Structures are given as structure tokens and as C-alpha cells.
Amino acid sequence: MEVADARIQKILSRPYTIVLRKTKQELVCRVEVYSAVLKDRQRAQLAGLIEFGERKSGLLEIRRAWFVKFNKPIYYQPKEFHEILRKAKGIVIPKEATPPFLERLVDFLKRIQTAKPNVVSVCMHCLRDDRLTVLTRKNAVKVSATEVACLSCSLTELKTELRSLGVKMSQGMLRQLQFMVTRTKSVPRVIDMLSPGFDPTKESDITLVDRIEAVDIGVQEKVSRLPLPDKFKEVLKKNGYDELLPVQSLAIKAGLLEGKNLLIVSATSSGKTLVGELAGVPRAMKGRKMLYLSPLVALTNEKYELWRRRYRELGLRTGIKVGMSRLDVGKEGKPIVDTDISKSDIVCATYEALDLIFRSRETKQLGDIGTVIIDEIQNLADPERGPELDGLLVRLRHHAPRAQILALSATVGTPEQLAKELRLKLINYTGRPVPLERHLVFARSDDDKRDIIRRLVLDEFRTVSSTGNRGQTIIFTFSRRRAHALSDWLRDQRVSATVYHGGLSYYRRRRVEQAYATQRYACVVTTAALGAGVDLPASQVIFESLAMGANWLSIAEFEQMLGRAGRLGKHDRGKVYLIVEPDRKYHSGQDRTEDAVAVELLNGVVEDVEPFADLETSAEQALASICATGATKLEDVARIYRKHLSMSVPPSEALKHLVRHHMVRVQDGIKVTELGKATTLSFLKPTEGLEVYKLTDSMDVLDIAIKLEPFENVYLSSKLQSEVDTAFRTHMPTRFFSGVFSDISDLSQKRGGAARLPSWVFDVFGKWTKEFFNCGCPLYPECDHGKIKLGRWLVEHRQAGLNPTGLAKKLHDEFHLWAYPGDIYSWLDTLIHNLKAVQRIAAVAGKVDLGVEIEGQIAKIEKPLKDKGSGKSSGKRED
């Protein structure tokens, strides 16, 4: 007891606060000693009881008082305990646990001359655990209809509620929910977000994650005051450009009009492209070409059509170079035909189309280049296109060292580093032209997701901006089939919705674009893969899922897509909604859940742009640069090679790889072989070029071209998929070449599910075997023969006169397989390019007769001899 008492005296020798609260016993108070400096969730240093009695006058007095130490009471005389109470720096009485004899207790404390007691709200959850947290406006959180707790305890209650609902959350999402609780000061309101029937349109203050404000641009410089040609300024004014936007002003101050090379990073719709026009058009008026480069044919064509109309009155010709074949498919696909760019003042081109000019050394048609605008420069980080864009920049700078380079992007991680590597001056404008709200909403199922989307779309469509535009929505999902299913469901709910993706025909996409522009549709459902290419003026973007095909979205992709929300001049603000299903994975190969990904996307930083090329790709770009520059000396080749940012191997290794594959010879310098020239003009890797060369001895030219890039976007029909899934009680892959045929055979032996399949399904399987899987190859199903035979089937029926929609319909009717017409169109265009590649390499091998055969194949694919009509699908939707 002496040891225990000594410890108590040590505690009481320091400044302390005493808490008095009620107990179940009459005239008994629980007493606790805390440090004098009160902090949240402070644990009691001592705890005990005070037992009061009543004098004859009715006044309270202490009868017994003790602290408990080592589970034993240590008693104090009443006068000793009076001294303990008097020494306290503060006395706290919990409002929620006030003794019923409060008035007499306060009187008692006054009589013995203690500090004035404070009756305050405290967290009862803490108090039950002998902890003390005084509640304030900052830390008080509602945890039930009648109870308030401190922030820490409320978060514990949140986890308990989630467990009771059976909701699993990643640690990152739990932290996000805790942030929501901190902001809303209510656990029930946050839990309501996970309840069926939750309406985000009425609870936007809960779902709001953050708001990115528009920057007040203040008084901007007038376009009329810029040192530009008067005629050019008149055209700009006619098109509504009276004042510069902030990013344009920054570019002017950074030396745009003096020819400075710039990297311009700013949000979508912030005015980046006009920066290029301000620099390039005046030079074009003086005979120095303005060159615009983009990764997408659609984006390139959009700029071509815009500038062709806009700058015609200045006497400027606008040309286009995209390298598309001349596929005649009627209204299903309008071929974008290349023009004579040698006579053009403004040239719009895709990366590959311009690169072909450099690789073939036909640069005379480019003339004197004054300005180069490179759109979507963040593509340098793309594993496939990055090294190609990197090589193109090297070849471009070699050909036009005096040209002003203007690189544009909305999403670049560490732009300072990229600007330094590209030797460009950075303009990094982080402001948005309109404010943007980002919201997080939870759904427990696909049904919940659809209902939330319906509410959001309808609410936004009822909103009208100050410019008179109704709110419209882009909905991103992870697959085309899901996009169609969601669009169909929304239409059933009387929501004006449609789909938009690369698999649709040109005619269908154009109709959607025009109808959306006239506000006929409240929303468009599209795929994440088309995020960078969608140019529809939406005020709201909804992420129905956070996946792109089999992969989760990257932060850069996410930022690119959400940037579509809110268009300057049309909308007063943009809205972005992430609809997240906790613990959701879209296939077993995904390593994270949707809620974990959501937190990373909302709080992450855009990845650095770090171009990378392996040995094969490094050698491919080295070969292209040698062909483009005509360099023959080893030191010159090495110097040009080192200018590439993406190269991962030394120049000597890349050259050895090219020599081994007969692309170059090293003897008194470096000389490109005829095979090397044909390979680089065909955009093939060295290994592919050599393989094609060898295959021309033994393989049909059409089969070689198909083998280079088979048509793989083929899916089981919905009806067939449903039968297979039901029979085997599992979700089978939807892609035709995913091994589903062999999987079905394996499951038939293990589970006997084949007995549950109707006879027509076996008829379909028989047709597949007869038409595509009859090679007898020992490598089946890993061999390419099935893909090649499907390609030949498509070519045969295309040459017989069917358009892409007709091919899709015939494929469906005969084999219960589905392909999108737009995908078939794109593949036929690619096939023609591959046939030309085979033709070039066959010519190197001296097989001129094969070249004649290929010309005939191409001619019949581009314009079939017979015409069986447009191949419309007789009422079937194009999906």
C-alpha cells in the first residue's frame, strides 16, 4: 500500500484536472484525475469514487473517498480529499453524465474553495473507457440519432457500421470515408451513402470530394493589340477571339511570338491549340508551313476541317496526311483522303503519316517548316507509341532545326523534367477555365449503379447554364458490351441516351456527334479506351467503372477523361462522379479493388513521362533515324541515336541487332540494306521484317498480312454466351480467341455441362470447327491458324461485296459471333497497309509476281467487284 500510495502522490504532485461524473449509486461520484493539459482521448491517471452524505442542514459532505490502484482501494480522509480537489487546476463535470445532485455538488465545491467546475459535453465512448475528450464544434461528430462522439470514436463507429452492413473497404477508402466523416460531422449520413436508394443529387455536400475553382482571369490582353497581321486578327475576332486566355497570355510573355520552343501543359478547353495558331499562322502567311501533329485520325481530321474553313480567307491552304486507305464502304465510313501537302500552308498529320515522309526521305513536299504543334505529347509515356513519337521528334528536329516546337498536353507528370529533356521552355498553367467538382458515390451492385446514373443524368439535363446550354453527360465504362447494355437500360427508363465508341461505323458516330451537339441526348455512354478521343461538350462526366478493358485506369488516363467535364463558353461548372462498388474486381487477374483504385485516382499524382524502348524497339527507331537522316558514319549514327529519350541500350547493341537481322551492313560505315528500307517504311520491327522476308518463300501473301495483325475483336453473341454460362454455371470469356472453345471442351469433360446445352449450340461449334479450327496443328489452340482463317473469311466476303455492317451481320448469322463494324473497317484498313508491307519486302526478295497479286487483293478489298448493298443488319442494332 505504501508503494501504491507513493505512486498516487507522485501523480498528484503534478498539475492535474479532476472529472466528476454520476454513477448508478445515489450520492456517489466517480472521480478521475487527468493531466492539467487536456488532450483528446486522454487516459485517466487515477480513478476512484467519492461517497457523499448529507448533513442535517441538507448540505453535502464527503463520507468516504478513495482511488483504486492495483485493484485495491486506497482511502483518504475527507479533509485530505478536500485538499486534492482544491489543488486541481480544473474540475470538469460531463454534461452527458451529470450527477443528479449537481446543484448541491457545485455548492459543496464552492464551500471547500475549489476551482469553478465546468459542465461540458464530453465523448461518452471515451468516458466509458476511462478516457476524456471534451467535445467542441471541431471534433464533435454525430454517431446516431441521439448520440454525439469525438472524431476518433466516430471513426470506430463507422468501421462497426460497415462491418454490420457486410461492406469491405480498402484501407485507402476507409481513410477517405474518415475524411468525409470529418467534413460532414455525421456517421449516419456517410453510412446512408451505402444504402439502397441513396440519391446523390440531393446529398451533394456528402459526396463532394473537392472543388477545383476556376482562376479569375481578370483583365486580359486584347488580341487586337498583339503584333500579328491585321487580316489574321480580323479572322480571330470573327471567330470570337477578342481576349487572350491565361495560358495564351503566359505563352506570349514566355516568347511565343519570338520563336521560343515551348511545352504547354494546361487543362482541356483552356486554349492550348490557339497558342499554336498564334505562332504558326503568321509564319504560314509568309510561306513557312505550320505543322500540326496528333496521335488520332479523328483529331487530325477535326483540326483539318476547322482550319480549312477558318483560314481560307487568308489565302492559306490546309492539307491533311493520315495515310488512310481508300476503302469504299458507302456511308458507313467516309475515307479521309490525303491531300497534296506540298502545296499546303497548314498541314495536319498523324504521327505515323509524317514519320513515313521522313523515313522515305520525301521531305521536299514539307518545304520550309516554320512551326510544329505536337498535340498529346504525353504519348511519349505510352509503351507502344512512346518510342515512335520519341523517334519522330528526333527526325523532325534533324529535318527542320529552325522550326519552332510547341508541345501540348493536359496531363503530364513532372512537366519540369519533361521540358528539360525535350529542351523546351515550360508553360504549366494549373488553373481551369471553369470550376470542377469531384464526387464519390458508392453502389452495392450493378442495379444500384444504374439507378444512381439515371438520377445524375436526369438532374444534370434539367440544369441550364448561364449561356443557355443544358447539362449533358459522358458516361465511361470498361467495355463496349457494357456500354450498350447501360444505354439500352437508360432508354428503357426514358432517358435520352446513346452509345459512342470506335466500333461503330463512321456514319453512326457522326450522327451521334451531331445529335449530341444539338442537345438531343442527355448522355452518351462510351468506353474508357475512347477517353482521349471523345470531343463532346459535356458538363458532367460519370465513371461507371474505373477499368479500361482488363486494366485499371492510370492517373493520367483518369485526369484526361475527367477533363472533359465543363466547357468554357458552354457551362458554368463541370462535375465528375466516381461510382464505386466496394471490394469489386472485374476479373480475377486484377490485384486491387475498385474502392482502392478510386482513392489512388482521386489523390494520386500523374505519373512522370518516361519514354522506354527495349532492344528490339530501340533498334527499330535507330533504323528509322538512319534511313531518315542518311547518316553513314558510325559517330554520326551514335550521335543521332543518343538524342532519343527512350533508348535503353547503347548504340552498339542496337546496331548489332540490326546487323544480325540483315537491316544494315557495317563496312566502311553504315549502309541500310534494301530489306532494312522496306522494313522501316512498313513500320515493322527488325524481327518482323526478317520473318516476312522468309515467309514469302512458303506462305500465301494474304496469310502473311493477316498474321502480322489478326482480327481479334470477335466476341460470342449474347445468346450463345448466355447458353454457355448457364450450362457450365460460370462466366466464360466473351472473346472468340480467348481459348473459350477449348475451355468449353475441358469443362464438358469435368462437369458434364455439355448435356445442358441445346442442339443448336453444338451446330455452331461444328461450324467453328469446320471453318476455323480444322488445321490439325500440334500447337492448337495456341497456333495462329484459326485467326488467319477468320481473316481470310472476312476478306473473301468483303471482296464479294459486303460492307463492314454486312460482314458483322453474316458473321453473327452464320457463327453466332459478333464484331463491331467500326472494328472491321479499321482492320481492313490495317490489312491493306500490311499487304503493302509484304509487297515491299517481296520486291526485295525479287518476287515481282507477288507484288502484282497483292495489288489485285488490295483493289478488291478497297472497292469490291460486286456490290451486295450496304449490308444493313435488318433492324439489328449496331453493337
Side-chain angles (χ1 to χ4, degrees):
M1 285 184 64
E2 290 180 1
V3 173
D5 190 45
R7 292 189 179 183
I8 290 174
Q9 293 306 317
K10 185 176 181 180
I11 291 169
L12 295 177
S13 67
R14 297 189 290 264
Y16 58 86
T17 293
I18 280 182
V19 172
L20 301 172
R21 55 179 162 122
K22 72 176 180 181
T23 64
K24 292 181 181 179
Q25 297 170 272
E26 189 177 353
L27 293 180
V28 175
C29 268
R30 183 168 175 81
V31 58
E32 293 167 335
V33 177
Y34 294 88
S35 167
V37 181
L38 293 180
K39 298 177 181 178
D40 287 356
R41 293 183 62 75
Q42 185 180 133
R43 184 174 286 282
Q45 298 175 355
L46 292 171
L49 294 173
I50 303 175
E51 185 179 307
F52 291 95
E54 289 183 341
R55 296 178 182 177
K56 290 181 181 179
S57 61
L59 298 175
L60 290 183
E61 63 179 3
I62 295 178
R63 292 281 173 86
R64 290 193 305 170
W66 63 91
F67 289 121
V68 177
K69 203 68 178 176
F70 302 121
N71 295 320
K72 292 182 180 180
I74 299 175
Y75 290 93
Y76 287 82
Q77 295 294 326
K79 287 185 178 180
E80 289 179 305
F81 220 88
H82 288 176
E83 189 61 27
I84 291 172
L85 292 170
R86 274 195 291 265
K87 283 179 60 180
K89 294 294 182 181
I91 295 180
V92 172
I93 299 175
K95 185 182 293 184
E96 295 80 3
T98 303
F101 50 94
L102 175 63
E103 289 185 11
R104 290 191 290 168
L105 176 61
V106 171
D107 177 69
F108 165 75
L109 295 172
K110 184 177 181 181
R111 281 190 287 110
I112 66 171
Q113 298 180 332
T114 67
K116 184 179 179 180
N118 292 307
V119 181
V120 297
S121 289
V122 299
C123 174
M124 293 303 294
H125 292 254
C126 290
L127 211 57
R128 284 193 286 269
D129 194 29
D130 285 347
R131 293 179 182 272
L132 179 66
T133 301
V134 177
L135 296 180
T136 65
R137 286 186 179 182
K138 274 190 174 183
N139 70 353
V141 177
K142 189 175 182 180
V143 294
S144 71
T146 58
E147 197 173 5
V148 177
C150 70
L151 183 58
S152 296
C153 291
S154 70
L155 300 182
T156 302
E157 284 296 300
L158 174 69
K159 294 177 183 177
T160 302
E161 290 289 337
L162 290 174
R163 281 196 296 271
S164 68
L165 291 172
V167 177
K168 292 182 180 180
M169 288 283 189
S170 65
Q171 288 301 313
M173 184 54 76
L174 276 175
R175 287 192 291 271
Q176 186 69 37
L177 287 179
Q178 290 169 1
F179 170 75
M180 290 180 171
V181 168
T182 304
R183 181 165 49 79
T184 61
K185 298 291 189 290
S186 173
V187 171
R189 290 192 74 196
V190 173
I191 291 297
D192 281 347
M193 294 174 63
L194 291 151
S195 304
F198 174 76
D199 188 351
T201 66
K202 296 178 180 177
E203 303 280 1
S204 59
D205 61 320
I206 305 179
T207 62
L208 182 67
V209 174
D210 55 28
R211 180 182 172 90
I212 304 168
E213 297 292 346
V215 176
D216 183 7
I217 61 178
V219 178
Q220 292 296 297
E221 187 172 358
K222 297 285 185 182
V223 171
S224 58
R225 295 180 181 175
L226 295 178
L228 300 171
D230 290 339
K231 288 185 177 180
F232 180 35
K233 287 192 280 192
E234 288 174 12
V235 170
L236 291 175
K237 185 176 181 180
K238 189 182 297 183
N239 285 274
Y241 299 113
D242 294 319
E243 295 179 341
L244 295 178
L245 291 173
V247 71
Q248 296 157 3
S249 294
L250 290 172
I252 296 288
K253 292 174 183 176
L256 175 72
L257 302 183
E258 286 78 50
K260 293 289 185 181
N261 297 328
L262 306 175
L263 169 62
I264 302 162
V265 180
S266 67
T268 302
S269 186
S270 60
K272 295 187 297 293
T273 307
L274 186 63
V275 171
E277 295 172 67
L278 292 173
V281 172
R283 289 194 184 92
M285 294 172 71
K286 295 179 180 178
R288 300 191 67 199
K289 276 187 170 64
M290 180 175 96
L291 204 56
Y292 170 84
L293 303 178
S294 117
L296 302 171
V297 173
L299 188 55
T300 305
N301 189 51
E302 177 191 311
K303 291 294 185 287
Y304 166 69
E305 295 290 349
L306 173 67
W307 291 341
R308 187 167 62 92
R309 294 190 303 268
R310 179 180 292 176
Y311 297 122
R312 185 182 297 157
E313 62 184 277
L314 293 179
L316 297 179
R317 291 184 178 180
T318 303
I320 188 169
K321 199 78 172 176
V322 292
M324 293 284 290
S325 60
R326 297 173 181 267
L327 278 167
D328 181 5
V329 294
K331 67 179 181 181
E332 286 189 28
K334 180 183 177 184
I336 302 171
V337 180
D338 288 342
T339 62
D340 182 2
I341 63 171
S342 65
K343 297 178 181 178
S344 301
D345 307 290
I346 300 172
V347 176
C348 302
T350 55
Y351 298 160
E352 293 82 1
L354 181 71
D355 204 3
L356 181 59
I357 293 174
F358 291 136
R359 294 178 185 220
S360 59
R361 302 191 71 182
E362 295 178 357
T363 52
K364 285 185 179 179
Q365 57 185 303
L366 292 174
D368 183 12
I369 301 173
T371 309
V372 181
I373 305 166
I374 307 168
D375 212 347
E376 311 291 348
I377 193 68
Q378 76 277 358
N379 274 285
L380 281 168
D382 185 90
E384 294 183 9
R385 304 193 79 165
E388 185 178 298
L389 176 56
D390 179 27
L392 172 61
L393 287 171
V394 171
R395 296 183 275 279
L396 177 62
R397 279 178 152 159
H398 178 85
H399 173 74
R402 292 173 53 243
Q404 181 181 17
I405 306 290
L406 302 171
L408 315 179
S409 179
T411 51
V412 171
T414 320
E416 298 82 3
Q417 181 63 28
L418 181 61
K420 181 179 178 182
E421 291 176 346
L422 292 175
R423 305 191 306 279
L424 304 174
K425 187 173 182 179
L426 176 63
I427 304 296
N428 186 20
Y429 178 68
T430 56
R432 282 188 54 83
V434 296
L436 181 71
E437 296 176 2
R438 302 197 304 171
H439 294 259
L440 178 63
V441 181
F442 296 100
R444 302 290 297 279
S445 65
D446 284 344
D447 288 342
D448 280 354
K449 280 192 174 185
R450 287 195 295 266
D451 190 55
I452 289 168
I453 288 170
R454 179 186 61 81
R455 293 173 188 263
L456 290 172
V457 170
L458 289 176
D459 185 68
E460 187 67 9
F461 202 49
R462 286 191 289 265
T463 304
V464 179
S465 71
S466 58
T467 56
N469 290 278
R470 302 181 76 173
Q472 290 173 282
T473 303
I474 295 175
I475 303 168
F476 287 111
T477 188
F478 66 89
S479 75
R480 294 169 178 178
R481 180 170 286 190
R482 194 171 176 94
H484 281 280
L486 178 55
S487 176
D488 289 346
W489 184 87
L490 287 168
R491 283 198 296 273
D492 289 343
Q493 302 297 310
R494 298 184 179 179
V495 179
S496 53
T498 189
V499 288
Y500 184 93
H501 56 71
L504 303 180
S505 66
Y506 169 84
Y507 176 68
R508 174 73 181 275
R509 291 200 304 272
R510 288 297 296 160
R511 279 199 310 170
V512 171
E513 290 166 7
Q514 291 162 3
Y516 193 85
T518 57
Q519 304 212 306
R520 175 183 163 191
Y521 291 117
C523 68
V524 161
V525 190
T526 187
T527 54
L530 204 62
V534 175
D535 189 26
L536 303 172
S539 58
Q540 179 173 259
V541 165
I542 297 175
F543 289 88
E544 187 269 348
S545 62
L546 300 179
M548 180 187 290
N551 302 315
W552 294 116
L553 290 173
S554 70
I555 295 171
E557 290 161 346
F558 175 68
E559 292 291 332
Q560 184 84 19
M561 292 155 71
L562 70 81
R564 302 289 164 189
R567 181 69 62 87
L568 183 65
K570 286 183 176 291
H571 310 121
D572 302 322
R573 54 96 185 101
K575 278 186 176 182
V576 175
Y577 279 88
L578 282 73
I579 305 179
V580 173
E581 188 173 343
D583 206 38
R584 175 72 181 268
K585 292 183 180 181
Y586 291 95
H587 65 84
S588 59
Q590 290 178 319
D591 57 341
R592 292 166 293 164
T593 58
E594 191 166 54
D595 54 301
V597 172
V599 176
E600 291 176 14
L601 295 178
L602 287 168
N603 300 296
V605 178
V606 177
E607 300 89 342
D608 292 349
V609 175
E610 296 179 345
F612 174 81
D614 57 16
L615 172 60
E616 176 84 350
T617 308
S618 297
E620 177 194 5
Q621 292 304 314
L623 177 64
S625 291
I626 294 170
C627 289
T629 61
T632 57
K633 295 182 179 180
L634 280 169
E635 54 269 29
D636 291 339
V637 170
R639 176 176 50 80
I640 293 168
Y641 179 87
R642 291 190 181 98
K643 291 180 180 179
H644 295 77
L645 302 179
S646 57
M647 302 302 104
S648 62
V649 297
S652 57
E653 290 298 316
L655 282 173
K656 287 177 185 176
H657 189 77
L658 292 175
V659 170
R660 282 196 296 269
H661 289 81
H662 309 288
M663 299 290 123
V664 300
R665 289 194 294 269
V666 180
Q667 187 176 5
D668 297 327
I670 296 173
K671 185 176 181 181
V672 180
T673 65
E674 292 302 313
L675 177 59
K677 291 176 184 177
T679 298
T680 200
L681 289 176
S682 303
F683 287 81
L684 298 177
K685 297 184 185 304
T687 303
E688 291 174 327
L690 182 58
E691 183 184 12
V692 170
Y693 183 85
K694 293 176 179 177
L695 288 175
T696 55
D697 284 332
S698 58
M699 196 172 186
D700 181 87
V701 289
L702 181 58
D703 289 355
I704 298 173
I706 294 170
K707 181 181 173 67
L708 283 172
E709 192 162 342
F711 184 64
E712 298 188 84
N713 291 332
V714 190
Y715 310 86
L716 307 190
S717 71
S718 299
K719 183 179 179 182
L720 178 58
Q721 184 78 39
S722 177
E723 291 286 359
V724 172
D725 287 349
T726 301
F728 295 103
R729 298 186 178 95
T730 186
H731 291 290
M732 299 294 288
T734 60
R735 281 182 177 266
F736 183 50
F737 290 115
S738 61
V740 64
F741 197 28
S742 56
D743 288 346
I744 290 171
S745 300
D746 292 342
L747 286 173
S748 296
Q749 296 175 7
K750 294 176 183 177
R751 301 187 187 179
R756 292 187 289 270
L757 289 171
S759 59
W760 70 264
V761 173
F762 289 101
D763 292 339
V764 170
F765 292 164
K767 289 178 181 178
W768 289 2
T769 302
K770 182 179 179 182
E771 192 71 40
F772 308 122
F773 300 123
N774 58 358
C775 61
C777 175
L779 296 178
Y780 173 81
E782 281 74 27
C783 65
D784 292 330
H785 296 117
K787 297 176 183 178
I788 292 173
K789 289 186 177 184
L790 174 64
R792 292 193 72 92
W793 185 93
L794 289 170
V795 171
E796 174 190 341
H797 290 88
R798 165 60 186 168
Q799 292 179 341
L802 287 180
N803 281 349
T805 298
L807 290 170
K809 181 179 185 301
K810 190 170 184 63
L811 195 63
H812 181 274
D813 292 347
E814 289 193 17
F815 303 108
H816 273 274
L817 297 174
W818 179 255
Y820 292 99
D823 286 341
I824 295 175
Y825 179 90
S826 297
W827 180 77
L828 289 172
D829 177 69
T830 300
L831 178 66
I832 289 170
H833 287 287
N834 287 336
L835 281 167
K836 290 177 180 177
V838 176
Q839 185 182 38
R840 292 187 193 98
I841 293 174
V844 173
K847 299 179 174 65
V848 181
D849 55 326
L850 295 183
V852 176
E853 179 187 342
I854 290 171
E855 287 292 344
Q857 292 275 16
I858 292 174
K860 286 188 285 185
I861 294 172
E862 287 188 333
K863 193 174 180 66
L865 298 176
K866 293 191 291 183
D867 184 9
K868 291 188 178 181
S870 65
K872 286 187 177 179
S873 55
S874 303
K876 279 185 176 288
R877 75 171 189 215
E878 186 181 305
D879 61 6

